[in-house]
């Protein structure tokens, strides 16, 4: 047998001596989740300092390991106490737009209704596209010491791909097509964030919060069983993205309360875009008008739709205010007038 | 409503309006649209909400129109539904071509919606096929050429990835794990430590490239999202295996190969460089039965191999398409393959990489000779498959790494 050129002669085997604390995680009610293995020296609580080498938390550092460029050295910059649970929930609740939406049941709709739904889907498929880019942009900055936050964002990328595809499918399945681009939605502000927490507050809490409040009104917006189901399934995913953001903000404020004013500053700017900005900006005329047609039930009932739209705005803003309360950021007296007018007294 | 009630209501509306602070940007916008001073206040006094006023301003309602509407007591947020008339292709009824798969993204590629352009020009996040807004900000994408990234197979592979998804927490039978001899358990754990890091790194790296790819190649981006989610789950499954049977995490993975991925300046360079590991890992997991110590590991490796086969299918077709479209860039690829192979050879020679595999293949540290021989066989298979995968991509490696050449005896 020729000498094996990729196996060094002699044995080392010193790596067999690295194991001091036997890890014996056993499955819980939901199987063997990241929660069960989050124990002892491998747990997030045992996280040491930062690490730029992609060494997974708890692995023994390799002498001479390369650094891979700067990332966040402190856990509070990226962590959310629910990311472990949210990641596992994401794996359990994946769905397939190809088969889980009853496409066959769609029937031709009145032209104006179909156009309104297609316009809304054109906007949403555009928004969801950015919703994948934004967490993608931040993954290289998350230390592998906090890998569960990273895994969660990777599951979000998958969720947003599915949302991008399901709204495109809806626009192209029932005799319609895509309509007007939703430019002006303020999506670029999400990519412009220069800090993870800034991004998370703008995207997860504000923009996805607004989108979520809209999806939760999907029973009123959707005109068919398939449409309602699209909103229901998407809302299920958005609730995870939102929960990550709210709990990340809470973690930041709990561990680094001095950042509160800085975070207010980001939101002052974003809310200064009058309507709330971000991807939940439903005041862009094609979006506003299509929503009013859908909510009202036709062009004829546009005024009724406007009233329901105002309810939606009210709901969006109040839920947003409530989420910020939960995270520990009191902004109720800082909202600009366009938002403040909708906020109910606590 | 009685007259006095109506007057009281009107007064209440005026009082409320007087208390609303009108944002400066609304005033600025109103000025741009030639709204008379006081028109916003009038609208508020008439009971319109600030949101409705803003709606009108965003809807480009000019001052004269707004005044006319207010005079008539109508809504100022007068819709004109211009978006209903944009000249996009209308009347599309996509249907599932394969009822088993359901309605796929491939089924949507009909009419103009199926035009995947050689070069994509729109610099915004516009959904391919929708009607563009004339003036938009540049979103900062850098990849606008189909030849660099595209493979037709990414369209069906996206839906296959979703169909074949699995969940490590419940699809693997963790309760079935039995204690293993100490050296074997530690070898499993060391391999898992290395592979978990490799998978996590690959996911983070690919994620960082997503914002570079423009909307013209939507389906590719969707497919890459499944790849990112796949390797996330691999990272997680491997970690679970390391921490569930009396072992733990060992020494972190070598960083030479991953660093060369990190150093790539362009996405096509990254894909070429990654081709080497994507192929090697696919062969490794396809041979998972040889290194698995129990059914759980056999299942886990088989599932990983199924996921990794999709990545490889994309890699091969992408490279083939790239070389066909850009033949001038053929020789350049040798440089990336050469660099990647050299780093891989270095890592294969690392005792913390090869010894665990030899223990697992041989069946213990006291059977290292047999393990080493089997590992040599596995390495040979990996290199043969790699060369074959390159050939499928119409690439014939002119200067394959010398150690790889030795392994396959040629
Ligand atoms: Fe989404
Ligand atoms: Fe989301």
């Amino acid at each position: 047998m020729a000498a094996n050129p990729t196996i060094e002669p002699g044995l080392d085997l010193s790596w067999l001596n690295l194991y001091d604390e036997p890890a014996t995680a056993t499955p819980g009610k939901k199987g063997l989740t990241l929660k069960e293995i989050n124990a002892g020296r491998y747990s997030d609580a045992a996280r040491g300092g930062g690490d730029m080498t992609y060494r997974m938390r708890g692995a023994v550092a390799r002498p001479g390991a390369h650094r891979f460029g700067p990332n966040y050295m402190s856990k509070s910059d990226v962590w959310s106490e629910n990311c472990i649970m949210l990641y596992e929930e994401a794996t359990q609740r994946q769905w397939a737009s190809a088969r889980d939406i009853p496409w066959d049941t769609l029937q031709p709709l009145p032209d104006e209704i179909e156009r309104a739904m297609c316009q809304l889907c054109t906007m949403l498929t555009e928004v969801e596209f950015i919703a994948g880019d934004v967490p993608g942009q931040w993954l290289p900055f998350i230390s592998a010491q906090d890998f569960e936050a990273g895994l969660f964002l990777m599951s979000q990328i998958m969720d947003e791909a599915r949302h991008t595809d399901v709204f495109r499918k809806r626009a192209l399945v029932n005799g319609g097509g895509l309509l007007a681009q939703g430019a002006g939605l303020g999506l670029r502000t999400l990519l412009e964030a220069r800090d993870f927490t800034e991004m998370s507050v703008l995207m997860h809490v504000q923009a996805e919060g607004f989108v979520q409040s809209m999806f939760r009104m999907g029973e009123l917006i959707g005109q068919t069983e398939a449409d309602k189901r699209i909103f229901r399934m998407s809302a299920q995913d958005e609730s995870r993205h939102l929960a990550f953001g709210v709990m990340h903000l809470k973690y930041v404020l709990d561990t680094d309360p001095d950042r509160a004013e800085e975070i207010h500053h980001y939101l002052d700017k974003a809310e200064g875009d009058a309507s709330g900005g971000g991807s939940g900006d439903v005041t862009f005329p094609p979006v506003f008008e299509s929503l009013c047609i859908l909510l009202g039930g036709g062009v004829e009932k546009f005024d009724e739709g406007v009233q329901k739209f105002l309810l939606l705005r009210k709901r969006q803003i109040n839920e947003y205010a409530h989420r910020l309360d939960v995270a520990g950021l009191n902004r109720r007296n800082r909202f600009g007038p366009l938002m403040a007018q909708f906020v109910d007294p606590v | 409503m009685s007259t006095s009630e109506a007057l009281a209501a009107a007064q209440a509306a005026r009082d409320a309006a007087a208390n609303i602070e009108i944002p400066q940007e609304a005033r600025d916008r109103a000025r741009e649209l030639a709204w008379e001073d006081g028109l916003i206040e009038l609208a508020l006094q008439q009971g319109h909400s600030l949101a409705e006023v803003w709606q009108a301003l965003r809807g480009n309602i000019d001052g004269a129109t707004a005044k006319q509407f207010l005079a008539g007591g109508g809504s100022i947020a007068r819709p004109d539904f211009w978006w209903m008339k944009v000249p996009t292709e209308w009347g599309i009824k996509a249907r599932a071509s394969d009822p088993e798969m359901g309605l796929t993204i491939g089924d949507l590629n009909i009419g103009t919606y199926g035009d995947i352009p050689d070069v994509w020009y729109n610099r915004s996040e516009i959904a391919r096929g929708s009607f563009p807004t004339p003036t938009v900000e540049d979103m900062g994408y850098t990849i606008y050429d189909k030849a660099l990234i595209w493979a037709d197979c990414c369209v069906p592979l996206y839906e296959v990835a979703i169909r074949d998804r699995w969940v490590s927490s419940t699809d693997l039978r963790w309760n079935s794990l039995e204690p293993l001899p100490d050296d074997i358990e530690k070898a499993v754990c060391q391999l898992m430590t290395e592979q978990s890091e490799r998978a996590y790194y690959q996911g983070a790296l690919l994620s960082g490239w997503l914002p570079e790819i423009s909307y013209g190649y939507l389906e590719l981006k969707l497919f890459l999202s499944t790849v990112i989610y796949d390797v996330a789950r691999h990272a997680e499954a491997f970690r679970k295996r390391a921490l569930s049977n009396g072992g733990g995490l060992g020494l972190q993975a070598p960083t030479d190969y991953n660093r060369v991925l990190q150093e790539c300046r362009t996405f096509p360079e990254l894909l070429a460089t990654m081709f080497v590991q994507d192929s090697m890992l696919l062969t490794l997991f396809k041979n998972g039965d040889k290194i698995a110590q129990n059914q759980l590991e056999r299942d886990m490796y088989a599932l990983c191999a199924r996921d990794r086969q999709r990545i490889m299918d994309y890699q091969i077709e992408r490279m083939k398409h790239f070389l066909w479209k850009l033949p001038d860039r053929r020789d350049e690829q040798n440089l990336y393959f050469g660099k990647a192979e050299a780093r891989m050879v270095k890592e294969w020679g690392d005792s913390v990489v090869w010894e665990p595999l030899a223990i697992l293949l041989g069946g213990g540290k006291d059977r290292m000779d047999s393990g080493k021989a089997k590992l040599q066989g596995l390495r040979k298979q990996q290199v043969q498959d790699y060369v074959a995968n390159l050939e499928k991509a119409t690439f014939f490696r002119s200067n394959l790494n010398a150690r790889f050449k030795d392994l396959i005896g040629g």
Side-chain angles (χ1 to χ4, degrees):
Chain A
M1 186 179 79
N4 187 332
T6 54
I7 297 174
E8 297 298 316
L11 288 179
D12 172 11
L13 296 177
S14 59
W15 53 272
L16 283 167
N17 305 320
L18 294 173
Y19 301 83
D20 48 6
E21 189 185 310
T24 50
T26 50
K29 266 193 297 204
K30 293 176 178 166
L32 187 70
T33 72
L34 290 173
K35 185 173 146 225
E36 280 81 28
I37 62 166
N38 191 39
R41 67 173 256 220
Y42 303 106
S43 70
D44 71 281
R47 179 201 198 270
D51 189 307
M52 298 187 194
T53 72
Y54 277 97
R55 176 174 63 88
M56 301 296 277
R57 192 179 66 236
V60 177
R62 173 180 279 267
H66 292 85
R67 286 187 172 193
F68 282 70
N71 62 34
Y72 283 108
M73 298 297 273
S74 122
K75 181 179 176 183
S76 74
D77 280 310
V78 300
W79 191 253
S80 175
E81 287 289 13
N82 54 6
C83 66
I84 293 178
M85 179 273 282
L86 291 172
Y87 171 76
E88 290 286 351
E89 185 187 306
T91 65
Q92 289 289 347
R93 304 189 81 179
Q94 290 295 303
W95 51 282
S97 70
R99 296 180 50 109
D100 292 336
I101 304 298
W103 300 113
D104 293 349
T105 65
L106 277 171
Q107 296 292 326
L109 293 168
D111 187 66
E112 66 199 45
I113 300 264
E114 182 62 27
R115 284 184 193 267
M117 186 63 186
C118 287
Q119 178 58 56
L120 186 63
C121 289
T122 304
M123 181 277 281
L124 287 169
T125 198
E126 185 173 332
V127 166
E128 302 289 358
F129 187 75
I130 299 293
D133 286 355
V134 175
Q137 176 174 283
W138 287 96
L139 265 154
F141 297 94
I142 296 173
S143 167
Q145 297 300 296
D146 307 309
F147 70 91
E148 293 101 328
L151 292 180
F152 171 75
L153 292 180
M154 294 185 207
S155 77
Q156 180 180 0
I157 288 171
M158 182 64 239
D159 293 343
E160 306 300 5
R162 191 168 52 249
H163 299 171
T164 306
D165 100 48
V166 76
F167 291 113
R168 189 176 179 88
K169 282 177 181 171
R170 173 58 189 87
L172 298 178
V173 76
N174 203 30
L178 293 171
L179 289 173
Q181 170 176 22
L185 293 167
L187 293 170
R188 221 185 87 142
T189 56
L190 304 178
L191 287 165
E192 287 163 0
R194 283 298 170 265
D195 173 72
F196 184 88
T197 302
E198 178 188 6
M199 173 281 289
S200 178
V201 168
L202 294 183
M203 182 174 81
H204 292 128
V205 181
Q206 191 188 71
E208 298 192 283
F210 288 160
V211 166
Q212 175 70 337
S213 301
M214 186 204 311
F215 287 174
R216 290 275 188 226
M217 282 180 82
E219 300 295 318
L220 297 178
I221 299 168
Q223 308 289 310
T224 66
E225 214 19 72
D227 296 349
K228 289 175 194 203
R229 191 162 166 82
I230 291 171
F231 290 121
R232 267 201 303 274
M233 301 296 279
S234 304
Q236 185 178 295
D237 299 336
E238 293 305 344
S239 71
R240 289 193 299 273
H241 311 160
L242 193 48
F244 176 89
V246 170
M247 292 303 279
H248 169 64
L249 180 56
K250 183 169 169 19
Y251 193 80
V252 171
L253 295 171
D254 286 349
T255 52
D256 201 355
D258 289 348
R259 293 195 67 188
E261 192 51 37
E262 172 206 338
I263 293 161
H264 275 303
H265 198 165
Y266 300 133
L267 291 174
D268 289 343
K269 192 170 66 160
E271 289 165 12
D273 181 19
S275 55
S279 54
D281 185 353
V282 286
T283 62
F284 180 60
V287 180
F288 162 71
E289 292 170 13
S290 57
L291 269 172
C292 291
I293 292 173
L294 293 167
L295 286 164
V299 168
E300 289 292 284
K301 297 179 183 164
F302 190 80
D303 288 343
E304 223 174 281
V306 172
Q307 292 317 308
K308 287 187 186 160
F309 171 81
L310 291 173
L311 279 178
L312 164 63
R313 280 307 280 158
K314 193 172 169 58
R315 184 168 171 170
Q316 285 182 316
I317 308 288
N318 278 291
E319 288 178 350
Y320 171 58
H322 175 69
R323 286 164 192 142
L324 292 173
D325 290 345
V326 169
L329 192 77
N330 186 353
R331 265 188 82 70
R332 285 179 183 270
N333 46 16
R334 278 183 84 135
F335 290 136
L338 282 165
M339 288 182 104
Q341 60 175 327
F342 288 109
V343 180
D344 293 330
V346 199
Chain B
M1 191 189 285
S2 72
T3 311
S4 60
E5 278 169 342
L7 284 171
Q11 184 59 42
R14 273 194 295 278
D15 291 348
N19 287 329
I20 293 176
E21 183 196 330
I22 298 164
Q24 190 55 43
E25 55 190 322
R27 291 194 186 282
D28 293 346
R29 184 89 188 111
R31 208 161 292 133
E32 282 167 30
L33 292 165
W35 285 38
E36 282 171 23
D37 281 350
L39 202 55
I40 295 181
E41 285 82 353
L42 178 66
L44 295 173
Q45 280 169 19
Q46 289 192 3
H48 295 291
S49 69
L50 197 50
E52 287 171 280
V53 173
W54 182 247
Q55 207 58 61
L57 292 169
R58 288 218 54 182
N60 295 324
I61 305 294
D62 62 49
T65 311
K67 196 174 172 187
Q68 197 185 336
F69 270 87
L70 286 172
S75 163
I76 48 167
R78 184 184 55 100
D80 64 3
F81 307 126
W82 59 266
W83 46 269
M84 285 198 183
K85 295 152 223 149
V86 295
T88 53
E89 190 175 352
W90 190 254
I92 301 293
K93 276 190 181 174
R95 287 292 171 264
S97 51
D98 172 0
E100 278 297 297
M101 288 301 292
L103 182 70
T104 66
I105 55 169
D107 295 326
L108 306 183
N109 284 343
I110 43 180
T112 51
Y113 296 102
D115 292 343
I116 296 155
D118 286 341
V119 181
W120 178 251
Y121 290 101
N122 193 305
R123 310 188 78 82
S124 77
E125 77 289 1
I126 184 174
R128 196 183 70 217
S130 59
F131 183 70
T133 304
T135 310
V136 285
E137 284 181 305
D138 188 330
M139 289 294 274
Y141 304 112
T142 58
I143 298 171
Y144 292 99
D145 295 290
K146 186 178 182 181
L148 300 181
I149 51 168
W150 188 258
D152 284 337
C153 67
C154 72
V155 182
L157 285 176
Y158 169 72
E159 300 281 1
V160 171
I162 289 174
R163 183 197 65 192
D164 289 353
R165 64 194 183 269
W166 54 283
V167 183
S168 82
S169 57
T170 47
D171 289 343
L172 297 175
R173 292 175 41 226
W174 299 101
N175 279 321
S176 70
L177 281 177
E178 301 274 357
L180 291 169
D182 187 64
D183 55 337
I184 295 197
E185 178 62 27
K186 286 175 178 169
V188 174
C189 289
Q190 182 55 52
L191 178 65
M192 295 297 94
T193 306
E194 178 196 333
Q195 292 302 333
S196 181
E197 184 175 327
R198 287 190 193 282
Y200 182 80
Y201 172 68
Q202 192 172 12
L205 176 70
L206 285 172
S207 298
W209 280 92
L210 284 182
E212 305 297 320
I213 304 170
S214 63
Y215 213 131
Y217 313 107
L218 161 75
E219 293 86 351
L220 170 70
K221 222 156 150 170
L222 297 180
F223 169 68
L224 286 176
S225 303
T226 69
V227 172
I228 289 163
Y229 179 59
D230 285 342
V231 290
R233 283 175 8 271
H234 298 182
E236 164 239 310
F238 297 149
R239 184 179 180 92
K240 286 176 177 170
R241 172 59 193 87
L243 299 181
S244 56
N245 205 29
L249 293 180
L251 188 71
Q252 81 174 109
T255 53
D256 292 274
Y257 187 86
N258 283 350
R259 248 312 279 264
V260 82
L261 297 177
Q262 185 80 6
E263 289 155 14
C264 291
R265 303 285 297 153
T266 67
F267 199 58
E269 177 187 344
L270 174 72
L271 290 170
T273 311
M274 207 182 264
F275 191 112
V276 182
Q277 178 175 261
D278 284 340
S279 178
M280 300 300 181
L281 287 183
L282 173 59
T283 303
L284 176 72
F285 293 129
K286 270 181 162 172
N287 284 276
D289 282 2
K290 295 181 186 145
I291 48 175
Q293 305 298 313
N294 46 49
Q295 191 56 41
L296 178 136
E297 289 163 25
R298 272 189 285 280
D299 293 346
M300 180 172 70
Y301 295 141
L303 289 165
C304 291
R306 191 173 69 181
D307 294 343
R308 285 207 156 269
Q309 183 67 58
R310 290 192 297 273
I311 304 177
M312 203 64 235
D313 290 349
Y314 165 68
Q315 279 277 32
I316 291 170
E317 198 180 312
R318 201 286 312 181
M319 178 62 71
K320 187 175 171 183
H321 179 252
F322 175 89
L323 295 170
W324 174 57
K325 286 285 190 181
L326 303 168
D328 292 355
R329 297 192 63 181
R330 187 172 276 274
D331 282 347
E332 173 199 343
Q333 306 310 307
N334 274 311
L335 304 177
Y336 308 131
F337 291 133
K339 225 184 329 183
E341 288 165 11
R343 302 290 183 102
M344 181 132 293
V345 163
K346 182 164 189 285
E347 294 193 349
W348 279 6
D350 186 305
S351 56
V352 193
V353 171
W354 73 260
E355 287 176 356
L357 283 170
I359 289 178
L360 296 174
L361 289 162
K365 68 177 176 190
D366 48 358
R367 303 179 63 184
M368 280 304 250
D369 284 345
S370 145
K372 281 165 91 167
K374 286 182 179 160
L375 179 56
Q376 184 167 3
L378 176 60
R379 292 308 193 205
K380 182 177 175 185
Q381 183 70 53
Q382 286 179 296
V383 177
Q384 281 172 336
D385 289 354
Y386 164 61
V387 171
N389 284 331
L390 283 176
E391 284 173 7
K392 280 188 220 159
T394 71
F395 196 85
F396 301 90
R397 196 73 179 81
S398 60
N399 52 344
L400 186 70
N401 182 281
R403 292 200 166 192
F404 281 178
K405 247 187 232 163
D406 289 347
L407 264 173
I408 57 175

